[in-house]
Amino acid sequence: MSYIARRLMRAILLLLGVSALCFLFTEMAPGSFFDEMRLNPQISPATIAALRSRYGLDQPLVVRYERWIKAALHADLGHSIAYNTPVAPLLWSRAKNTLLLSTTALFLTWLISVPLGLWTGARPGGQVDRLVTLVSSLLISVPELVIAMALLAIAVRWHFLRVGGMMSADFGDLSAWEKLSDLLLHLALPVFILVLCETAVIVRHVRASVLEVLQARYVQAALGYGTSRTRLLVRHVLPVAANPAISLLGFSLAGLLSGSLMVEVVCGWPGLGPLILEATLARDLYLVIGGIMFSALFMVGGNLVADAMLFALDPRIRGEGNGADGH
């Protein structure tokens, strides 16, 4: 079995494990969506029983899970009780907003982190290196929620960014350029929060990788032969230091996605975060499970992309895969 096939099989098993745990934990959680209905004297027990039967909640856990797995293979994640609509289209309408936020933050994070990590790793102990180390240590030590709340308060106080939602009330009356500007102004604050928090972690990993490669004998020999430092960093150090950075890419996407759900709630961005929170508070069973599965799918997808990039760039991994096939 090839390297990519093995990773894909592990991803499928991971998603199955996440779905099983979702059903188990929701079954163990106290209360249900129909608890408030039972307190309403105008709703009869027969009506509540009929609703439970309609959504399959009167069946044993194993039966419900088996039915859900079979339906999920056909992109059917169940029916939302609160919204009275299929879960998959409801989640996808919000997931597009979360993907827009996460991919924008991911692109900007790596666009900033790689050059900054390369610069500080090549000049350890310099003023820029000390400043970056100090700021990144501060950002890592402060909870992301505190940073998000502080930046939100600043944005509300000075009105330099749009806060709440992803478009203004008069969005439909704007021109195409004004619509794009309005969207970017609403996107700026949550993206800035995510980039600020994630860059603090990634730049330290890139810096550490660059420092390690710079100690290699072939790099020291190249310097001895008079190779310019810029050429050495770009053509020899960065490609080697990129391997651990690419491995970090999958974890970075997972971290950005989990962080974006919290930032969405704080900033009012209409993504998966607020929807999953509302579904959890309402005990909307299949919407909660579907939201968690969407998040897990994005995380697994990010790791698969990182694995594919490593397989394409690192001949050692391709050799490992071919060796595994030969046994």
Side-chain angles (χ1 to χ4, degrees), residues 1 5-21 65 69 293 296-297 300 304:
M1 184 181 295
R6 293 201 308 272
R7 302 296 293 181
L8 185 59
M9 182 62 66
R10 292 175 186 173
I12 294 173
L13 293 176
L14 175 62
L15 290 175
L16 285 174
V18 170
S19 64
L21 288 175
Y65 180 63
I69 285 292
M293 292 306 300
L297 185 62
V300 168
L304 286 176

Side-chain angles (χ1 to χ4, degrees), residues 176-205:
W177 174 252
E178 289 172 335
K179 287 181 179 179
L180 178 60
S181 300
D182 184 68
L183 175 61
L184 292 177
L185 286 173
H186 281 87
L187 184 64
L189 180 61
V191 165
F192 181 67
I193 295 171
L194 290 173
V195 169
L196 195 64
C197 296
E198 196 68 17
T199 299
V201 177
I202 296 177
V203 71
R204 295 171 73 95
H205 285 277

Side-chain angles (χ1 to χ4, degrees), residues 113-175:
S113 298
V114 172
L116 196 57
L118 187 63
W119 176 278
T120 54
R123 296 167 177 81
Q127 292 184 353
V128 176
D129 182 41
R130 290 199 296 269
L131 178 62
V132 170
T133 301
L134 176 63
V135 173
S136 61
S137 300
L138 179 63
L139 290 174
I140 292 172
S141 62
V142 178
E144 192 170 344
L145 179 61
V146 175
I147 296 175
M149 294 296 294
L151 292 176
L152 178 64
I154 294 173
V156 171
R157 175 66 178 81
W158 277 283
H159 305 285
F160 62 92
L161 291 175
R162 307 284 170 82
V163 176
M166 62 183 297
M167 59 186 66
S168 301
D170 59 344
F171 187 81
D173 301 329
L174 302 177
S175 65

Side-chain angles (χ1 to χ4, degrees), residues 240-264:
V240 178
N243 269 21
I246 292 173
S247 301
L248 186 64
L249 177 65
F251 296 103
S252 172
L253 180 60
L256 276 173
L257 182 62
S258 60
S260 71
L261 299 183
M262 182 274 295
V263 171
E264 286 172 357

Side-chain angles (χ1 to χ4, degrees), residues 46-311:
T47 301
I48 296 176
L51 288 173
R52 286 180 55 83
S53 177
R54 175 184 174 185
Y55 294 106
L57 299 180
D58 58 337
Q59 299 294 323
L61 176 63
V62 176
V63 175
R64 284 190 280 121
Y65 180 63
E66 181 183 0
R67 289 180 178 177
W68 186 86
I69 285 292
K70 292 179 179 178
L73 294 176
H74 298 89
D76 181 5
L77 299 178
H79 208 83
S80 169
I81 307 173
Y83 289 88
N84 193 28
T85 186
V87 166
L90 179 61
L91 286 172
W92 179 241
S93 65
R94 296 292 193 95
K96 290 184 291 186
N97 300 336
T98 296
L99 280 176
L100 173 62
L101 175 61
S102 299
T103 52
T104 304
L106 182 69
F107 173 76
L108 292 176
T109 296
W110 284 88
L111 186 65
I112 296 170
S113 298
V114 172
L116 196 57
L118 187 63
W119 176 278
T120 54
R123 296 167 177 81
Q127 292 184 353
V128 176
D129 182 41
R130 290 199 296 269
L131 178 62
V132 170
T133 301
L134 176 63
V135 173
S136 61
S137 300
L138 179 63
L139 290 174
I140 292 172
S141 62
V142 178
E144 192 170 344
L145 179 61
V146 175
I147 296 175
M149 294 296 294
L151 292 176
L152 178 64
I154 294 173
V156 171
R157 175 66 178 81
W158 277 283
H159 305 285
F160 62 92
L161 291 175
R162 307 284 170 82
V163 176
M166 62 183 297
M167 59 186 66
S168 301
D170 59 344
F171 187 81
D173 301 329
L174 302 177
S175 65
W177 174 252
E178 289 172 335
K179 287 181 179 179
L180 178 60
S181 300
D182 184 68
L183 175 61
L184 292 177
L185 286 173
H186 281 87
L187 184 64
L189 180 61
V191 165
F192 181 67
I193 295 171
L194 290 173
V195 169
L196 195 64
C197 296
E198 196 68 17
T199 299
V201 177
I202 296 177
V203 71
R204 295 171 73 95
H205 285 277
V206 175
R207 176 184 179 274
S209 298
V210 170
L211 282 173
E212 182 179 355
V213 176
L214 284 174
Q215 301 303 317
R217 292 183 179 179
Y218 77 93
V219 174
Q220 298 298 322
L223 285 173
Y225 280 113
T227 305
S228 69
R229 196 169 186 84
T230 302
R231 179 184 177 86
L232 183 68
L233 286 172
V234 174
R235 298 199 59 179
H236 300 286
V237 175
L238 185 58
V240 178
N243 269 21
I246 292 173
S247 301
L248 186 64
L249 177 65
F251 296 103
S252 172
L253 180 60
L256 276 173
L257 182 62
S258 60
S260 71
L261 299 183
M262 182 274 295
V263 171
E264 286 172 357
V265 175
V266 173
C267 297
W269 182 262
L272 287 174
L275 183 65
I276 295 175
L277 178 60
E278 293 171 5
T280 303
L281 295 176
R283 300 182 182 89
D284 194 347
L285 174 66
Y286 291 112
L287 186 54
V288 171
I289 294 174
I292 295 174
M293 292 306 300
F294 257 62
S295 300
L297 185 62
F298 292 156
M299 294 180 188
V300 168
N303 281 285
L304 286 176
V305 169
D307 289 336
M309 292 174 65
L310 277 176
F311 184 80

